[in-house]
Amino acid sequence: EVSELVGGNLMKLDRDSPDPMLSGPALAGSFATWVPPMNYLGLLGMLEDISYYDPKERKCLRASQVLDAVTCPPGWVKQAEKTAFCAECPEEYTCLCNPCAKLRDPDLVL
């Protein structure tokens, strides 16, 4: 398959190679060698668990408001904005301190 051929040839590029066909592109591109990307499956699984990644659409879910992106676990409910956001937060950040609250009545646990 084409992608395998391209990937295999990229892995051969090496700035220290005596072969100018392999060292030339690395030197011109200012890199030492080409390595495969890291495995991000653990990260994708975590994002799926918190309902931030949709595996069917293969994309992260975005929310226009920070609090809208919060998904509370079973037995917890989302807090109002004035309670969810931190009173003390650096100006350049958006800080959520208490986005979810535990339900008090066990009969109401979802």
Side-chain angles (χ1 to χ4, degrees):
E1 188 166 315
V2 174
S3 62
E4 290 176 8
L5 289 172
V6 170
N9 285 318
L10 284 172
M11 300 301 159
K12 292 177 187 176
L13 297 178
D14 185 347
R15 78 176 319 125
D16 297 323
S17 173
D19 183 346
M21 291 292 289
L22 299 177
S23 62
L27 293 168
S30 299
F31 62 89
T33 187
W34 193 274
V35 295
M38 294 176 61
N39 182 334
Y40 293 102
L41 293 178
L43 175 62
L44 288 177
M46 184 269 309
L47 292 172
E48 239 180 289
D49 290 346
I50 62 171
S51 302
Y52 193 76
Y53 176 73
D54 182 353
K56 291 178 186 160
E57 295 288 325
R58 296 183 66 172
K59 66 178 184 178
C60 291
L61 307 172
R62 305 272 187 222
S64 59
Q65 300 295 321
V66 172
L67 194 55
D68 291 341
V70 172
T71 302
C72 297
W76 294 70
V77 292
K78 197 178 297 187
Q79 296 270 49
E81 277 191 35
K82 65 180 184 174
T83 307
F85 289 94
C86 305
E88 294 180 24
C89 183
E91 191 174 315
E92 63 275 10
Y93 294 98
T94 301
C95 303
L96 289 170
C97 288
N98 299 300
C100 301
K102 190 163 180 60
L103 289 171
R104 293 185 186 142
D105 186 350
D107 293 332
L108 297 176
V109 174
L110 304 174

